[in-house]
Amino acid sequence: MELFDSLKQKITGQNKTIVFPEGEDPRVLGAASRLAAYGLIKSVVLGKQSEIEATAKSHDIDLAPLSILDPENIPADQHQAMLDALVERRKGKNTPEQAKEMLKDPNYVGTMMVYMDQADGMVSGAVHPTGDTVRPALQIIKTKPGVRRISGAFIMQKGDQRFVFADCAINIELDAAGMAEVAVESAHTAKVFDIDPKVALLSFSTKGSAKGDMVTKVQEATKLAHESAPDLPLDGELQFDAAFVPSVGAQKAPDSKVAGHANVFVFPELQSGNIGYKIAQRFGGFEAIGPILQGLNKPVSDLSRGCNEEDVYKVAIITAAQSLA
């Protein structure tokens, strides 16, 4: 089944609510309206009612399926509950006065809605830079127990081929523990997209064919990932060809259950991950879907500011599917 047909099938009837803090943007508003009209999710858009109505009128967008919430005019009881929850969550790091200012920011309002189970996920970033989306998520939703950092994965798809590449978006450098975390979280992401994960931790070395600190890091990461998820098919250190090509895997790592058959590729740092997914996208003709934020307690997705309405539509479907995991 085509990827998004499968994801839509998963979320239909689940009554998932996704909040969109950038409701005044026509790309976001159009996608949110379509998603709600098709019965895929419940869409809550944040923004000034008058500006949302003006955007809808000028772009012929139906507001009927949507819920609209103005961050500056939240009902008093709802605002107070949100303020109390934010102050408690920040545990002395922000005063009530500072928290009030934070709740003027639609990204903080959206994040609090997710934290307080008023929404199942948030999609932002069409207007705001990544930091404005990720910062509230890290402060409030935080990472899963045992996970120290978030990471960014891409689903690489062409025809019936589907792979996960990570981390290609967030962490400039990864130590061994971080790389191990990304490996395990990327396997979870793969399952959301109906990929049975076989995880390769990548290097310029295969099973000790080269030496150096960079190789040692991947070897240690593989060991830590095995300890964390002993039942997960996972191996490293592997060169990309050894991980992907069966004949090369059989030659270079004959005892590996992953070599030559990997479908989840974990890069040792951001530079190689970012270069790698863009080579696959531009040379290989793969569609790169993402970045998908991994490691958070609840799903928050960061759009590119160059996105179009279809990108927003697809990312919201992914976010809703992540909330089922």
Side-chain angles (χ1 to χ4, degrees), residues 140-161:
I140 298 164
I141 295 173
K142 302 187 179 181
T143 55
K144 297 176 185 177
V147 176
R148 296 187 301 161
R149 61 180 54 73
I150 62 169
S151 55
F154 281 85
I155 305 300
M156 308 301 296
Q157 176 174 267
K158 182 170 72 171
D160 59 359
Q161 299 180 83

Side-chain angles (χ1 to χ4, degrees), residues 80-191:
Q80 188 62 49
M82 194 173 287
L83 178 62
D84 291 344
L86 177 56
V87 171
E88 171 61 25
R89 186 61 166 168
R90 295 297 291 152
K91 294 186 184 296
K93 294 178 181 177
N94 293 106
T95 65
E97 291 73 23
Q98 289 170 329
K100 283 182 183 179
E101 287 300 312
M102 292 160 75
L103 288 178
K104 293 179 181 179
D105 182 334
N107 280 308
Y108 275 95
V109 173
T111 302
M112 285 302 299
M113 291 179 68
V114 177
Y115 173 64
M116 298 174 71
D117 294 324
Q118 297 170 6
D120 297 288
M122 184 177 88
V123 174
S124 189
V127 177
H128 298 91
T130 294
D132 289 358
T133 301
V134 172
R135 189 180 307 107
L138 287 175
Q139 290 175 339
I140 298 164
I141 295 173
K142 302 187 179 181
T143 55
K144 297 176 185 177
V147 176
R148 296 187 301 161
R149 61 180 54 73
I150 62 169
S151 55
F154 281 85
I155 305 300
M156 308 301 296
Q157 176 174 267
K158 182 170 72 171
D160 59 359
Q161 299 180 83
R162 201 177 297 170
F163 306 102
V164 177
F165 282 18
D167 178 358
C168 303
I170 300 293
N171 297 287
I172 294 175
E173 294 288 344
L174 287 169
D175 59 12
M179 192 175 181
E181 279 185 4
V182 172
V184 175
E185 289 302 310
S186 297
H188 295 324
T189 296
K191 292 176 182 177

